[in-house]
Amino acid sequence: MATPGSHSGRETVHRSRTTLGKAPVSPTWETVPRWFNSSGRTPMVMGPPLSSTTTAATSPYTPSPSTKGGSAFPALLRLPPLLPTTKATTTRTRERLRNAEAEVDKLRRAVEDEHDLVERLKREGDSPALPGTETARRIRELRRDELEENASAPRRATAGLFRAICSTDLLFLIDTTGSMASYIEAAKQQVRSIVNDIGKAFLDQAEVRIAVVGYKDHGDAPNIQFLDFTTSAEEVHSFLSGLSAGGGGDAPEDVLGGIRQAIGATWKHQTRVIIHIADAPPHAVHDLGAESDSYATPGSEPHGLTYAPLLSQLVTLRINYVLLRINDSTDRMAFAFLETYAAASANCTLLPGNKYYSSIASSPKRGVTNANAPLLFREAELGIAFSALQHLVVKAVTASATRTACRMTRATRGMTGPKLAPIGEDDDSITDVELETGPPRWDAPGWLDETLAVEGFSPDVVRHGCDTLDAMMEHDDNIPMSVLGLVIYKRTRPFAQGSLRKVSYALTAASTNRYVVKSYKRADSRLPHLTEGMRCQALCKAFALDFNALTGNSDRHPIDFVVTACFKSTTASNTCISMEPYLRGTYVKYNSNAGYVNDDIPAGDPFNQAAQAFSHFTFERSRGRFLVCDLQGVGGLLTDPAVHTRDPDRFVLSETNLGEDGFKLFFAMHECNAICRDLGLKSNGSTLEAPGGSSGDSSSGDFRATWPKMADTVCCCSNKLCGRILQRTTANESEKFPGYQWCDQCWPQLEVFTSKRVCVAPGGGGGGGGIPYHEFEASRFFYESQGRSTPRRCLAHGGDDTTRLRTVPASVRRDASVYRTAPASMKRWSAAATTATVVPHSSKVGDIGWAKACDSYA
């Protein structure tokens, strides 16, 4: 039976035989073995002896210089024809010929086996593993490159960003005909509270200006009443008091005249909002029937106005539009206005009670709910409960501010394509590439049409102790890295792209796990940028481990982050890529780095509640040093987060890091939920206003005082390309790989990719006995999951002992950060000290900080 990895069949070998009972056949040179005497020089040939007068030149046994039949066998096996068989041929001679034939057959088989073995070794030959010193050197070089890139990177100018985003121009567009008296009174009574609440929402750091446009119908005088923008709530209150409800002829009103006046106001701030309060539609934009409208034909009203040009001007001026619905007479108007905003990629919503709601639901273009949309169009229910006016207005203004934040941070966004988060990039000089249109065909032979041999880095967050998170927050050097080498099969044509990067489907050589690869469109070496994002994601996973343990959320609706690895191709210069698991399922964005909160998710959705509370938790747990947001993914498995930092020198290459302004944007929009309260989170927007509020000063009293030590209930999958958070009680473990834990997806692959390999140790016969080589079992998936090549030697001949790779004394397991930063000399405990002594086994790694742990062994 052919061994694993060998040829499926053996080439047929021609054998010349002497036929017994028939006329003897003259043996040839190939059928007679040639032996050497003890000196290794004089040839000795089985057969009749040569005459002393026969010379080499005339001897019939002289080898032919040509290779008979193109044979690849050495000259040792090629013999010229013997002398013609005569009556003197004896039975003894025939026996010698049969023995010679058997010896030749044996030698041929040996040559074949050697050839097969060489070919098999070529197939099994992975890239040689890096020694510990080389691994440490590469990590040091990476850190040096990161520091140089950080030093040369311009610091993000976010000072004043929050104030610029949240300073608001708010215009009330109010129908002042007879039926609106109660709403005018409500606006007058609540305007002071509205201004105060908006100020508090924006941490009293934003300027709020208010304007009012009151409109009636064409036959009324005055038809339009207008107060331009002012910061004085008292001036607005006085103007509202002077408005009288009356007039109105037919059912529609001069809404378009009011919009024209609103366009003419002195808009100044970046966040601009119209709050439209109306119980009647404009002329020619309704379902009331022509008999109810004196100007039923579009453009026939006295000023010749139509809605489309006016709405286009609102879009051009970047004015957000919120209609407070009182009855269904405005449904057609809301739908018509929405279409104009949707064409400009605004975030658009209609109330489910609107008769045109189903038209939006069936048309993605008309129902845009993108977190990156630059504008907002929203219909909200006011009804007869005008007491809700204050809450609706404040909510509309804060939601509009997130649209402004999106526009003002647009340089850090810009990704298109299904199920992918944006990549921070902005370069219009690079053209788009053709995208994959169909679903991925993972199992189709040849569909993944590009092979990459890569080397790079991945985070090594597999041991998480009670102080690991604190150490990682303290310094990037405490976020351990591993050196990886992989063979990746990817699809050349991407399925999503940004202006700088493209995203493709991918698999690895020894796993069925599915991945996506992000690469730059043009040759560019940006490994430090990619590795910084990788460190951000590793820090987020550390926060998630603590969060899940503290909330008991690990087995219900856990928060987790995919592992990102970064590589540089070994076959193509300056080709840098990042790789992460492919997410299957419905992709959801829970919040953004600029304050956006997804209101389309039901309030009780457990993953949404966990995501919003997690962002708040990261700020509180870090005592105001970090805030993780921009949460998006499938269920609780998230990717591409943003990390805002108080330290301006931390994560400086991340274009989504808005610093302390990012903190403010989050708290301006965040509403605490049950999980926030269960965790006892105390910080809020006022924390940032207090002296040293985001300085992490424990004496400020705005943070939870203490945190319990994390219970040892969660761990991570040991596959460095997976790293999924697991419950220890349900994690899969194997006696073959002690100290490793595996998720349900990775666990069966340990055996699926286990095969026999040839030991290449010198004298591989294992002590003699005539055996040319021997085999041993190895799991290619296991070694790929650790970023290492599959061993070429068995354990007896110095191959990897997987039992020596993970386990460390219990005192060190309790604090992973100590183990990761300890000198190598502290990591070599004797077997007598513990029953699980397993440390990186290279004795050549010096005490060189966190790099010296040589994570390719861990």
Side-chain angles (χ1 to χ4, degrees):
M1 179 181 294
T3 57
S6 67
H7 293 298
S8 60
R10 186 184 301 276
E11 295 178 4
T12 303
V13 179
H14 174 72
R15 301 188 183 107
S16 176
R17 299 183 181 274
T18 302
T19 306
L20 297 178
K22 296 182 180 181
V25 178
S26 298
T28 64
W29 181 252
E30 282 102 335
T31 64
V32 181
R34 182 180 182 184
W35 306 100
F36 288 86
N37 63 13
S38 58
S39 68
R41 295 178 181 175
T42 305
M44 300 177 64
V45 180
M46 301 298 294
L50 296 176
S51 168
S52 60
T53 62
T54 303
T55 65
T58 60
S59 171
Y61 297 97
T62 302
S64 170
S66 64
T67 301
K68 184 176 179 62
S71 172
F73 297 113
L76 172 66
L77 302 181
R78 295 197 300 272
L79 300 175
L82 295 175
L83 291 175
T85 304
T86 66
K87 295 180 179 180
T89 303
T90 64
T91 301
R92 179 180 176 84
T93 301
R94 289 195 295 270
E95 183 66 25
R96 285 202 305 251
L97 290 175
R98 284 195 295 270
N99 292 340
E101 184 184 58
E103 290 293 334
V104 169
D105 188 63
K106 180 178 179 182
L107 288 173
R108 283 180 172 175
R109 289 180 179 273
V111 170
E112 282 185 338
D113 288 343
E114 288 180 6
H115 175 74
D116 288 348
L117 179 60
V118 168
E119 293 300 314
R120 179 177 173 184
L121 291 174
K122 287 180 180 179
R123 290 193 299 273
E124 293 181 355
D126 298 326
S127 300
L130 294 174
T133 50
E134 177 66 13
T135 297
R137 183 186 67 80
R138 294 195 182 191
I139 294 178
R140 289 198 306 271
E141 286 183 351
L142 171 66
R143 191 66 185 129
R144 181 200 63 201
D145 293 344
E146 288 177 327
L147 293 173
E148 290 177 354
E149 193 76 21
N150 288 352
S152 62
R155 294 305 182 261
R156 187 177 182 89
T158 60
L161 177 65
F162 178 75
R163 178 178 173 83
I165 288 173
C166 296
S167 291
T168 301
D169 286 340
L170 171 62
L171 185 145
F172 286 97
L173 179 62
I174 305 176
D175 180 344
T176 59
T177 56
S179 60
M180 293 293 293
S182 59
Y183 296 98
I184 296 172
E185 182 64 22
K188 180 177 70 174
Q189 296 300 326
Q190 297 180 43
V191 65
R192 296 186 185 93
S193 299
I194 289 171
V195 172
N196 289 337
D197 285 356
I198 294 174
K200 289 180 181 178
F202 294 148
L203 312 181
D204 293 325
Q205 296 187 24
E207 181 182 70
V208 179
R209 303 193 311 157
I210 297 181
V212 179
V213 173
Y215 65 86
K216 299 183 187 294
D217 205 355
H218 294 289
D220 299 316
N223 180 33
I224 303 291
Q225 294 172 281
F226 173 56
L227 173 69
D228 206 353
F229 286 108
T230 177
T231 58
S232 171
E234 294 302 323
E235 187 177 352
V236 176
H237 182 274
S238 176
F239 180 82
L240 290 172
S241 297
L243 294 178
S244 61
D250 53 6
E253 311 295 356
D254 188 16
V255 176
L256 302 185
I259 293 176
R260 183 176 65 172
Q261 180 60 66
I263 291 172
T266 57
W267 299 93
K268 179 182 79 171
H269 290 311
Q270 292 296 320
T271 296
R272 304 171 180 182
V273 189
I274 287 178
I275 302 294
H276 187 183
I277 307 173
D279 65 352
H283 292 283
V285 190
H286 55 76
D287 296 320
L288 301 178
E291 66 280 3
S292 302
D293 188 351
S294 302
Y295 308 102
T297 303
S300 63
E301 55 97 46
H303 302 105
L305 299 176
T306 57
Y307 78 89
L310 293 173
L311 268 293
S312 295
Q313 289 185 64
L314 293 179
V315 169
T316 301
L317 289 171
R318 301 191 304 276
I319 298 173
N320 301 283
Y321 201 107
V322 179
L323 171 65
L324 300 186
R325 180 178 185 262
I326 295 175
N327 57 50
D328 62 2
S329 68
T330 58
D331 285 3
R332 172 72 180 276
M333 176 187 75
F335 176 66
F337 287 9
L338 176 144
E339 286 193 304
T340 302
Y341 271 81
S345 300
N347 177 275
C348 300
T349 56
L350 283 186
L351 289 167
N354 187 305
K355 66 183 68 175
Y356 291 93
Y357 179 78
S358 60
S359 299
I360 286 188
S362 62
S363 174
K365 180 179 177 182
R366 296 176 176 176
V368 180
T369 57
N370 185 359
N372 298 313
L375 288 173
L376 173 76
F377 182 93
R378 177 176 295 178
E379 182 185 36
E381 189 72 58
L382 179 60
I384 60 173
F386 47 80
S387 59
L389 177 66
Q390 178 177 333
H391 172 74
L392 291 173
V393 171
V394 174
K395 188 173 182 179
V397 170
T398 55
S400 298
T402 66
R403 307 298 97 213
T404 305
C406 171
R407 292 198 311 271
M408 295 185 69
T409 59
R410 185 178 297 277
T412 68
R413 318 303 289 170
M415 186 71 178
T416 62
K419 297 187 178 180
L420 278 175
I423 295 176
E425 50 193 44
D426 186 20
D427 191 340
D428 295 332
S429 66
I430 302 178
T431 58
D432 286 345
V433 297
E434 185 178 356
L435 296 180
E436 196 75 47
T437 56
R441 294 186 287 140
W442 300 101
D443 300 324
W447 190 75
L448 299 173
D449 53 355
E450 183 178 0
T451 301
L452 296 176
V454 296
E455 291 180 354
F457 306 89
S458 76
D460 196 8
V461 187
V462 289
R463 299 182 183 93
H464 192 87
C466 57
D467 297 323
T468 304
L469 176 57
D470 290 326
M472 294 172 74
M473 289 191 292
E474 189 63 31
H475 201 279
D476 282 352
D477 287 353
N478 295 326
I479 302 177
M481 295 288 109
S482 294
V483 176
L484 302 180
L486 285 178
V487 174
I488 297 173
Y489 306 115
K490 64 180 283 287
R491 178 70 171 162
T492 302
R493 179 181 294 177
F495 68 94
Q497 63 183 318
S499 57
L500 294 184
R501 283 190 285 171
K502 53 189 178 180
V503 188
S504 304
Y505 300 111
L507 294 173
T508 59
S511 173
T512 58
N513 292 353
R514 297 170 179 178
Y515 299 95
V516 295
V517 165
K518 297 179 182 179
S519 57
Y520 289 99
K521 290 183 178 178
R522 60 186 178 190
D524 205 345
S525 179
R526 294 192 176 188
L527 199 58
H529 288 77
L530 297 179
T531 55
E532 180 167 279
M534 181 176 66
R535 291 184 194 275
C536 285
Q537 207 136 315
L539 176 62
C540 294
K541 183 177 281 287
F543 273 118
L545 282 161
D546 269 26
F547 178 80
N548 292 339
L550 288 166
T551 60
N553 210 30
S554 346
D555 57 346
R556 293 182 292 120
H557 307 290
I559 294 295
D560 196 1
F561 291 86
V562 300
V563 168
T564 299
C566 305
F567 300 99
K568 180 174 284 189
S569 174
T570 60
T571 57
S573 60
N574 293 328
T575 299
C576 295
I577 64 172
S578 63
M579 187 175 78
E580 62 186 49
Y582 171 74
L583 298 182
R584 299 175 236 189
T586 302
Y587 199 93
V588 177
K589 190 176 184 81
Y590 297 104
N591 59 32
S592 76
N593 71 322
Y596 165 82
V597 175
N598 192 338
D599 292 331
D600 296 324
I601 305 174
D605 181 85
F607 285 118
N608 186 39
Q609 284 200 330
Q612 308 305 338
F614 174 77
S615 291
H616 190 178
F617 165 79
T618 59
F619 180 80
E620 182 106 5
R621 177 65 177 82
S622 66
R623 305 197 70 78
R625 290 182 289 169
F626 299 92
L627 194 151
V628 178
C629 54
D630 212 5
L631 303 183
Q632 56 208 308
V634 176
L637 186 57
L638 310 177
T639 184
D640 287 321
V643 182
H644 298 318
T645 65
R646 191 187 74 244
D647 183 352
D649 294 323
R650 197 79 184 269
F651 299 149
V652 297
L653 301 180
S654 170
E655 295 175 324
T656 56
N657 178 7
L658 302 182
E660 292 190 44
D661 283 289
F663 298 165
K664 296 172 184 177
L665 286 167
F666 172 79
F667 282 108
M669 315 301 168
H670 176 67
E671 296 180 6
C672 283
N673 58 38
I675 299 177
C676 299
R677 291 186 286 272
D678 289 344
L679 287 171
L681 306 183
K682 300 173 63 178
S683 55
N684 51 40
S686 62
T687 304
L688 302 171
E689 300 178 64
S694 61
S695 67
D697 181 7
S698 60
S699 64
S700 68
D702 289 317
F703 298 103
R704 176 171 168 169
T706 60
W707 293 94
K709 295 298 183 182
M710 191 187 79
D712 189 23
T713 59
V714 292
C715 60
C716 291
C717 178
S718 296
N719 180 357
K720 293 183 180 181
L721 300 174
C722 173
R724 191 152 195 173
I725 295 177
L726 309 171
Q727 282 275 42
R728 285 196 179 275
T729 55
T730 58
N732 300 289
E733 295 185 346
S734 169
E735 293 181 357
K736 293 182 180 179
F737 310 101
Y740 294 82
Q741 295 82 33
W742 309 93
C743 68
D744 291 339
Q745 183 177 5
C746 293
W747 167 249
Q749 298 182 64
L750 289 169
E751 292 300 326
V752 169
F753 288 92
T754 294
S755 60
K756 292 184 179 294
R757 297 174 69 84
V758 176
C759 178
V760 299
I771 302 175
Y773 65 89
H774 66 270
E775 298 175 327
F776 66 99
E777 282 192 346
S779 172
R780 290 191 298 127
F781 172 80
F782 170 78
Y783 289 97
E784 182 187 85
S785 75
Q786 306 306 299
R788 293 154 43 208
S789 58
T790 309
R792 307 295 303 280
R793 302 186 181 199
C794 67
L795 181 60
H797 289 95
D800 277 338
D801 182 358
T802 57
T803 64
R804 299 188 322 195
L805 299 178
R806 301 289 287 187
T807 324
V808 296
S811 59
V812 176
R813 286 201 302 272
R814 286 193 297 268
D815 190 350
S817 62
V818 172
Y819 175 74
R820 285 295 180 185
T821 57
S825 58
M826 294 175 59
K827 300 175 182 176
R828 301 189 182 100
W829 297 275
S830 66
T834 175
T835 58
T837 331
V838 156
V839 295
H841 53 271
S842 172
S843 60
K844 299 181 180 180
V845 183
D847 298 344
I848 50 176
W850 55 271
K852 53 192 167 293
C854 303
D855 290 300
S856 63
Y857 291 105

